[in-house]
């Protein structure tokens, strides 16, 4: 027996799409009910056949087994009858869930898309970070603002920096304000003391002026950071490496004694194209500085290995050095290249 649900009465519903949706839902429910009825009919057919076999059987054991199966089929048929009644009455939650799940899978429970809402009004533009900085009482250009943001979290901020050495420090007649060390100090509002002498050696007395090893006492002892840059003029004078190392050990002892607990570090010369007229290459002096610093636990930035300053390359020198034949003195653009590597190194001390 098939069930035909009364859905035609929904014709009185004025909302045509909604009416069609309800009819579709009832049709789905009807389909599930008829599937249950078909299953019940098959069970009843098996039950009838089994009953006939029981009545004609002469085997007592077979009759007992068939009787148990018959009881099971009767219970299933009765259960189906109750479920069908519950579905029709709307009280069989399992079947209702099955119907609903099928509707969801078929996309039949989605309602119509509503009308699009009106666009909201645009909000007012907020103040720029630069303007907020000015409103907080700061004074300066956008460049000043960016510099303050870059340096505000740095450990270097407001500290005192002493730097001593040769023309890498004094800048070979060009403004000291173009040097990387001056730029680092300026960006971080550091007090800056420059003790550079063009042509000066770290150890040798044959170069220009009193060597650095004998000038430590001239430096501001209150400095937080002490930078030593040199070695190129010791190389120019071909000072013996053993004498150079002995002098470096003395220099470090002088620095440690004057700047107790302060940040002391060395920077070596750039890597150059050797002219072929020197018995001892510049790389040996840079390595000697790194080795002696390591022996005394003093940080050293080996510029010959990790600076990114390619003094051995003619095209690089033409763009970033004071002249195309110069392999020691950076121009303003060249110094700018070294600001970030040097800053990160100093912040790591």
């Amino acid at each position: 027996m098939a069930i035909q649900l009364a859905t035609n009465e929904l014709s009185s519903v004025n909302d045509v799409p909604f009416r069609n949706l309800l009819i579709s839902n009832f049709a789905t429910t009807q389909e599930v009910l008829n599937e249950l009825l078909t299953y019940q009919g098959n069970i009843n057919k098996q039950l009838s056949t089994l009953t006939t076999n029981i009545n004609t059987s002469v085997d007592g054991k077979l009759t007992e087994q068939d009787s148990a199966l018959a009881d099971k089929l009767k219970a299933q048929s009765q259960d189906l009858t109750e479920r069908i009644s519950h579905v029709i009455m709307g009280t069989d939650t399992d079947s209702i869930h099955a119907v609903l799940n099928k509707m969801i899978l078929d996309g039949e429970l989605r309602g119509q898309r509503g009308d699009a809402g009106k666009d909201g009004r645009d909000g007012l533009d907020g103040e720029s970070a630069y303007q907020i900085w000015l409103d907080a009482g700061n004074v300066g250009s956008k460049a000043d603002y960016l510099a303050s943001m870059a340096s505000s979290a740095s450990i270097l901020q407001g500290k005192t920096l002493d730097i001593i050495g040769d023309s890498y420090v004094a800048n070979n007649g060009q403004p000291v304000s173009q040097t990387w060390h001056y730029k680092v100090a300026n960006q971080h509002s550091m007090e800056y003391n420059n003790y550079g002498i063009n042509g000066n050696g770290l150890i040798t007395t044959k170069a220009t002026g009193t060597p650095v090893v004998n000038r430590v006492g001239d430096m501001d002892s209150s400095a937080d950071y002490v930078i030593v840059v040199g070695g190129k003029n010791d190389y120019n004078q071909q000072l013996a490496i053993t004498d150079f190392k002995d002098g470096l050990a003395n220099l470090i002892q002088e620095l440690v004694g004057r700047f107790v607990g302060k940040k002391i570090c060395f920077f070596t010369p750039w890597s150059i194209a050797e002219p072929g007229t020197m018995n001892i290459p510049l790389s040996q002096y840079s390595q000697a500085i790194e080795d002696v610093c390591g022996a005394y636990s003093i940080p050293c930035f080996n510029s010959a290995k990790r600076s990114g300053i390619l003094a051995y390359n003619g095209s690089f020198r033409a763009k970033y050095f004071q002249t195309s034949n110069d392999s020691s003195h950076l121009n303003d653009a060249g110094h700018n290249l070294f600001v970030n590597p040097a800053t990160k190194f100093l912040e790591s001390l």
Side-chain angles (χ1 to χ4, degrees), residues 246-269:
D246 289 342
L248 288 172
N250 292 332
L251 172 55
I252 290 174
Q253 294 283 10
E254 290 288 331
L255 290 167
V256 171
R258 183 169 180 79
F259 299 97
V260 179
K262 304 302 177 63
K263 308 293 186 181
I264 303 170
C265 65
F266 280 67
F267 284 77
T268 76

Side-chain angles (χ1 to χ4, degrees), residues 218-234:
D218 298 336
M219 303 170 72
D220 179 6
S221 61
S222 68
D224 302 292
Y225 289 82
V226 180
I227 301 175
V228 180
V229 184
K232 181 66 180 296
N233 293 303
D234 300 274

Side-chain angles (χ1 to χ4, degrees), residues 32-341:
V32 173
L33 284 172
N34 286 329
E35 288 177 357
L36 292 175
L37 287 170
T38 300
Y39 181 47
Q40 185 185 41
N42 290 334
I43 290 177
N44 289 336
K45 185 182 294 185
Q46 292 181 50
L47 182 61
S48 176
T49 302
L50 187 59
T51 300
T52 300
N53 291 339
I54 292 173
N55 292 333
T56 59
S57 175
V58 293
D59 188 336
K61 292 184 179 180
L62 179 62
T63 300
E64 182 179 347
Q65 294 174 352
D66 286 346
S67 295
L69 179 59
D71 291 340
K72 182 177 181 180
L73 291 173
K74 289 178 182 178
Q76 290 180 349
S77 178
Q78 182 177 357
D79 180 64
L80 282 173
T81 300
E82 292 177 356
R83 290 191 64 185
I84 291 169
S85 298
H86 290 166
V87 169
I88 295 173
M89 296 299 293
T91 59
D92 184 6
T93 56
D94 290 340
S95 296
I96 292 172
H97 288 163
V99 172
L100 290 174
N101 286 333
K102 187 176 188 306
M103 291 177 179
I104 292 172
L105 291 175
D106 293 342
E108 295 174 356
L109 289 183
R110 290 195 300 267
Q112 288 182 306
R113 182 182 295 275
D115 295 335
K118 295 181 179 180
D119 292 337
R121 293 186 301 176
D122 292 337
L124 298 176
D125 292 337
E127 290 185 337
S128 68
Y130 171 58
Q131 185 58 52
I132 294 174
W133 183 72
L134 292 176
D135 292 343
N138 297 290
V139 178
S141 64
K142 289 183 178 180
D144 294 326
Y145 161 70
L146 293 174
S148 71
M149 292 300 99
S151 62
S152 60
S154 175
I155 194 173
L156 305 177
Q157 188 71 18
K159 302 297 176 59
T160 297
L161 170 65
D162 280 7
I163 184 165
I164 191 169
D166 53 20
S167 54
Y168 277 53
V169 178
N171 209 29
N172 194 40
Q174 296 301 308
V176 170
S177 60
Q178 293 182 357
T179 61
W180 63 263
H181 31 88
Y182 178 91
K183 294 172 188 283
V184 171
N186 186 57
Q187 286 182 2
H188 298 87
S189 302
M190 303 178 78
E191 184 177 336
Y192 174 77
N193 299 310
N194 188 305
Y195 300 95
I197 297 177
N198 292 322
N200 198 218
L202 291 180
I203 308 302
T204 183
T205 58
K206 294 181 180 180
T208 303
T210 303
V212 170
V213 67
N214 297 324
R215 294 198 293 122
V216 173
D218 298 336
M219 303 170 72
D220 179 6
S221 61
S222 68
D224 302 292
Y225 289 82
V226 180
I227 301 175
V228 180
V229 184
K232 181 66 180 296
N233 293 303
D234 300 274
Y235 156 79
N236 289 340
Q237 296 299 324
Q238 289 289 283
L239 180 66
I241 293 297
T242 54
D243 293 338
F244 185 60
K245 286 186 173 182
D246 289 342
L248 288 172
N250 292 332
L251 172 55
I252 290 174
Q253 294 283 10
E254 290 288 331
L255 290 167
V256 171
R258 183 169 180 79
F259 299 97
V260 179
K262 304 302 177 63
K263 308 293 186 181
I264 303 170
C265 65
F266 280 67
F267 284 77
T268 76
W270 325 118
S271 178
I272 66 170
E274 294 287 347
T277 59
M278 299 292 196
N279 293 325
I280 308 173
L282 180 59
S283 60
Q284 289 193 24
Y285 292 87
S286 294
Q287 189 61 53
I289 296 172
E290 184 175 13
D291 291 344
V292 176
C293 283
Y296 286 90
S297 193
I298 298 297
C300 175
F301 189 102
N302 193 328
S303 302
K305 295 180 179 179
R306 48 189 290 224
S307 66
I309 302 300
L310 313 181
Y312 55 82
N313 181 271
S315 298
F316 189 93
R317 292 196 305 271
K319 185 173 183 179
Y320 293 112
F321 279 76
Q322 292 181 10
T323 70
S324 59
N325 294 322
D326 191 342
S327 60
S328 297
H329 312 110
L330 297 170
N331 59 23
D332 186 59
H335 281 291
N336 286 338
L337 291 179
F338 197 55
V339 168
N340 284 340

